[in-house]
Amino acid sequence: MAAISSTVTSATARAANKSSAAPNNASIVRCARGSTPAPFPEPAGQETQPYFLQPLHDTAAGSHSFSGTTHPTFRKGTGPAVIVIHEIPGITPGVLAFAEEVVARGFTVVMPSLFGRPGAAATVGESVRSIAQICVSREFSMFALQRTTPVAGWLRSLARDLHAELGGPGVGAVGMCMTGGFALAMLADAPIAAPVLAQPASPAPVGRARKADLGLSPADLASVKAKVAAGCRVLGLRYAGDPAVGDRFDTLRRELGDKFVAVEFPGRKHSTLTEHRQQEAVDRVLSFFDQQLKP
């Protein structure tokens, strides 16, 4: 995926140049506070998107709506809820393979499709297609500093619904690459008990300030820090030389202290759980979910 990563970096850099604006169980429960949920939606029929849903035939296809926005979702498994948020270009075979491992561990996995074509391979062409979609969407803020991505509201709503349905200490959330920091944004105002940041790369690492920014508003950062101080842990994964992550791990250590658990691998690869998968990374995530989400 090195070619894909370089494509993402160069595309985002060009866009930036054009824009001048731009544990113990008690601690887990404190970490997982959320608000009143709405009923979980009924699954949608596969006939609406037969080509794209074909690779996902063994998942339950549905959707989730919040504040006038609806995204498809794919669900599989039983047990506590884990939301797997795909990377660029979308729900690829690599993302699906990781999700299957989470299911096999005894969790209910829900994968929202936020952009891209579900089931498509992780190619340069698919990445370019997804980046173009992201750049014109109001749900994402690829370059803004100290701003929480707008899609966080939709993801928080999904987490609240799942927690209301399935119960437990809270919900797990994994973000990857451009969505890597979304799990932290969800923690600010949703019942998230196990946030995982896999190679967080947003805002785009263009300039010193963006390389260190967590993609959170000051208010959301304060909320995250309060939950972490109450006992919530945050797991982070990256390749130590990955330029897309920038200096974010330094910021996370400074802001969250020893409650931020960093798992780092040598090299300049990118996708720790999928295209450049490290078995240790997958094992650490699964163990984290066991510790945080299961009684």
Side-chain angles (χ1 to χ4, degrees), residues 8 17 22 30 40 42-43 81 93 95 98 125 132 208 240-241 253 283 290:
V8 172
N17 290 336
R30 284 194 296 270
F40 197 72
E42 293 295 320
V95 173
F98 168 72
R208 181 178 299 177
R253 290 187 178 98
D283 291 343
D290 285 341

Side-chain angles (χ1 to χ4, degrees), residues 43-65:
Q46 287 194 2
E47 67 276 5
T48 55
Q49 298 181 43
Y51 176 76
F52 299 131
L53 296 186
Q54 186 178 356
L56 312 178
H57 62 87
D58 59 345
T59 64
S63 64
H64 180 74
S65 299

Side-chain angles (χ1 to χ4, degrees), residues 183-231:
L184 204 61
M186 294 168 71
L187 174 61
D189 188 26
I192 300 300
V196 178
L197 285 60
Q199 63 274 355
S202 183
V206 181
R208 181 178 299 177
R210 290 189 181 91
K211 289 179 181 179
D213 195 88
L214 298 181
L216 293 175
S217 68
D220 281 344
L221 177 58
S223 178
V224 166
K225 292 174 70 172
K227 291 188 175 183
V228 167

